[in-house]
Amino acid sequence: MSYTYEKTDDILAHQGDDYEKFMGAVVPPIFQNSLFVLPTSGNGIPEHPYVYTRTTNPTVEVVEQKLAALEGGGDALCFSSGMAAISSAIMHFLEKDCHVITVKSIYNPTRTLLKEYFPKKFGVQTSFLSQEELEHLEDHIRENTKLIYLESPSTGIFHLQDLGKIAKIGKKHGIGTVIDNTYATPLYQHPLEYGIDISVHTASKYLGGHSDLVAGALISSKEICSSIRLGERANFGGCIDPHQAWLLLRGMRTLRLRLEQHAKNAKAVAEFLKNHPQVEQVFYPGRKEGPQKELIEKQLKGFNGLLSFVLKGTAQQAEGFLDSLTCFLKGCSWGGFESLASPFTVGTSEEYNRELDCPANLIRLHIGLEDVETLIGDLKQAFEKIK
Ligand SMILES: *Cc1c(COP(=O)(O)O)cnc(C)c1O
C-alpha cells in the first residue's frame, strides 16, 4: 500500500512509493507495456485494476498521486504534452457554439486553439480580456459562457489574475474555470483551494526540469478527473508514455531544490538588470513590486528563473544583444537546467504586442543553474557590444 504524505518534501520524495507492489524497488519500475492481461479462473493471475495503458498504468499512477497530493486535488492525470492537458481541460467544458473568456497574455498555442481552432471548427466565440477589462469580468459574461480560462502568472510580463474572485464569479454563473498553473508549479500556488475547477501544467518545464521530456498534467476533483480520464484522455488518446512518466518522476524529486536555485540566480540577474542603463524595465515577480504587489504576496509562495526586460534601443540592437550572448542559449522554452534568451516581442508588430498585452522589445530570459557570475558577465559583455 502507498502511504499518504502531507509535507511537500515528503510528497516529492515518497508519495506513490509502494514497496510491496513493486517488490522492494526503491524507484518505481517502468511498466513499459500497453496491455495488462486479465485474470480468469484458469490462469492464476491475481486480481489487479489495470487493463490498458491509455487509461491507467502503475508508473503513471505514481506521478499522478504525487501531483494530486502536492496541489490538494482529488486526483490528477498525466498527458503526452502540456497542450494535450490544456486541450483536454478546455474540451471538458466546451459546448458547440459556446462562449469562452480568457486573458490576452496566455501561452501562444493556447491562444491559437481558442482564437482559431475552436471558433472555426465548432463555432466557439472567445473574448480575450486585457488586465483592465478583467476588472469588470462579469460585464463580459454571456448566456452561453461555459469557460473562464486563466494563466496566472503569465510567462511574458507575469500578469496575475485574482483567483479567489474569479472562481467565485465562475461558481455564481455556473461557468467552469481552468488555470494554466505552469509558472508557479504545484509547489507555489494551489488554485483548487481558491475554488478553480482544473489546474493544468506542462511538465516539459520545471516539473521535468532537464529539457529532456515533453509531458503535461492536470489536477482537479475526483469527479472531473474521472470524466476526463474516460472522456477526453481516452477518446483523444493524449496519455503519457510510461517512460516519460518515469523521467518526470525522477525530475520531480529535486523540484524544490532546483526551483530555489533558479530563483536565487534570477533575483541576482533581475537586480543587475534593474541597475543597467541600457534597460528600460524589468519584470520579475520575485521583486514583489508594481501594481500587482498585493496579489503576488497573496497568491505566490515562491518564484523561479523566468524574467523579462525591455531593452532600450531598436529591434536590431536587441537582436544584436541576443546574438552576442555566449552562455545564454537562444531558445524559446524554459524550466530546464540551462539559461535561455528569447526575443519575446523583438521586432514584432504593434498589433501583435497589443494582442499579447506586452510591451515592445521585450527579451525573456530563463535563468538556469549555471554560476550566476558567469551569467551576469555574459549579459554585461553583450550589453557592451550594443552599438
Ligand atoms: C510550454 C508551455 C505550455 C505547453 O507545454 P508543452 O508541453 O510544450 O505542450 C503551456 N503553457 C505554458 C505556460 C508553457 O510555457
Side-chain angles (χ1 to χ4, degrees):
M1 277 297 287
S2 78
Y3 183 80
T4 303
Y5 296 89
E6 275 174 21
K7 299 256 193 261
T8 300
D9 284 341
D10 300 335
I11 296 170
L12 289 174
H14 288 302
Q15 184 70 55
D17 287 347
D18 189 333
Y19 302 110
E20 191 186 328
K21 178 168 158 186
F22 300 139
M23 291 196 230
V26 69
V27 171
I30 310 174
F31 279 79
Q32 194 73 50
N33 51 299
S34 55
L35 164 81
F36 296 84
V37 291
L38 300 173
T40 66
S41 56
N43 63 19
I45 292 164
E47 285 294 323
H48 65 76
Y50 304 103
V51 178
Y52 194 64
T53 283
R54 176 150 44 76
T55 344
T56 34
N57 172 285
T59 312
V60 174
E61 258 178 359
V62 177
V63 191
E64 294 176 340
Q65 284 172 20
K66 261 197 210 313
L67 289 166
L70 285 172
E71 227 173 284
D75 204 352
L77 295 170
C78 286
F79 289 83
S80 54
S81 71
M83 285 313 296
I86 288 168
S87 54
S88 290
I90 292 176
M91 281 190 289
H92 175 76
F93 289 110
L94 276 200
E95 286 172 20
K96 186 172 168 291
D97 298 324
C98 79
H99 174 241
V100 176
I101 296 176
T102 188
V103 288
K104 290 189 173 198
S105 48
I106 51 169
Y107 180 64
N108 252 332
T110 313
R111 180 192 333 281
T112 307
L113 204 55
L114 288 171
K115 188 181 156 201
E116 289 163 28
Y117 187 86
F118 286 129
K120 278 185 195 146
K121 210 114 184 149
F122 305 117
V124 171
Q125 304 144 301
T126 311
S127 301
F128 292 88
L129 306 190
S130 66
Q131 286 294 95
E132 292 77 51
E133 288 168 322
L134 196 67
E135 295 292 317
H136 311 282
L137 172 61
E138 279 190 293
D139 296 349
H140 297 271
I141 291 175
R142 303 179 192 167
E143 201 136 290
N144 61 342
T145 307
K146 292 289 168 208
L147 169 66
I148 301 171
Y149 184 93
L150 309 171
E151 189 175 313
S152 178
S154 64
T155 58
I157 56 169
F158 314 107
H159 282 148
L160 272 75
Q161 295 112 44
D162 190 327
L163 305 188
K165 193 173 137 197
I166 295 170
K168 216 161 146 189
I169 293 173
K171 290 244 182 320
K172 179 176 153 197
H173 296 270
I175 300 167
T177 46
V178 175
I179 182 177
D180 185 331
N181 198 29
T182 300
Y183 173 95
T185 80
L187 299 196
Y188 296 153
Q189 181 167 266
H190 298 166
L192 305 187
E193 287 169 13
Y194 295 89
I196 299 287
D197 292 315
I198 305 180
S199 167
V200 294
H201 291 270
T202 167
S204 322
K205 312 290 163 62
Y206 286 119
L207 283 172
H210 294 75
S211 298
D212 56 6
L213 67 87
V214 173
L218 65 82
I219 299 135
S220 187
S221 65
K222 261 198 168 50
E223 295 70 34
I224 290 179
C225 283
S226 163
S227 165
I228 294 177
R229 181 193 296 279
L230 301 173
E232 288 76 18
R233 198 178 70 172
N235 291 330
F236 295 105
C239 64
I240 195 172
D241 172 79
H243 187 248
Q244 297 299 310
W246 187 88
L247 279 174
L248 178 51
L249 206 52
R250 179 154 98 157
M252 281 178 66
R253 292 194 189 99
T254 56
L255 177 63
R256 187 179 64 77
L257 297 172
R258 286 185 285 106
L259 278 173
E260 283 175 10
Q261 190 62 31
H262 281 291
K264 190 170 158 223
N265 284 357
K267 200 149 187 233
V269 172
E271 225 41 63
F272 163 77
L273 290 170
K274 193 83 192 170
N275 296 317
H276 200 283
Q278 213 108 34
V279 173
E280 184 84 48
Q281 212 180 349
V282 178
F283 299 94
Y284 183 62
R287 290 183 59 85
K288 299 185 189 169
E289 58 182 15
Q292 294 202 297
K293 181 178 189 296
E294 261 178 55
L295 208 50
I296 292 174
E297 282 174 347
K298 184 172 151 204
Q299 290 184 173
L300 286 173
K301 291 199 213 69
F303 305 93
N304 62 32
L306 209 53
L307 59 86
S308 61
F309 69 98
V310 176
L311 186 118
K312 253 183 222 165
T314 62
Q316 279 93 339
Q317 285 172 319
E319 279 294 354
F321 170 84
L322 288 168
D323 284 338
S324 304
L325 292 167
T326 57
C327 182
F328 281 88
L329 306 164
K330 212 164 153 183
C332 57
S333 189
W334 53 283
F337 60 93
E338 75 286 17
S339 287
L340 296 169
S342 80
F344 211 79
T345 55
V346 174
T348 50
S349 70
E350 261 180 54
E351 190 195 346
Y352 177 82
N353 304 345
R354 245 197 322 275
E355 193 178 338
L356 267 59
D357 218 359
C358 257
N361 235 22
L362 188 78
I363 290 176
R364 189 175 75 184
L365 298 180
H366 175 251
I367 309 303
L369 300 174
E370 300 91 344
D371 187 283
V372 71
E373 291 307 320
T374 310
L375 297 175
I376 290 174
D378 192 22
L379 295 168
K380 231 181 227 165
Q381 64 81 26
F383 277 125
E384 278 161 16
K385 289 204 182 112
I386 296 177
K387 287 191 204 80

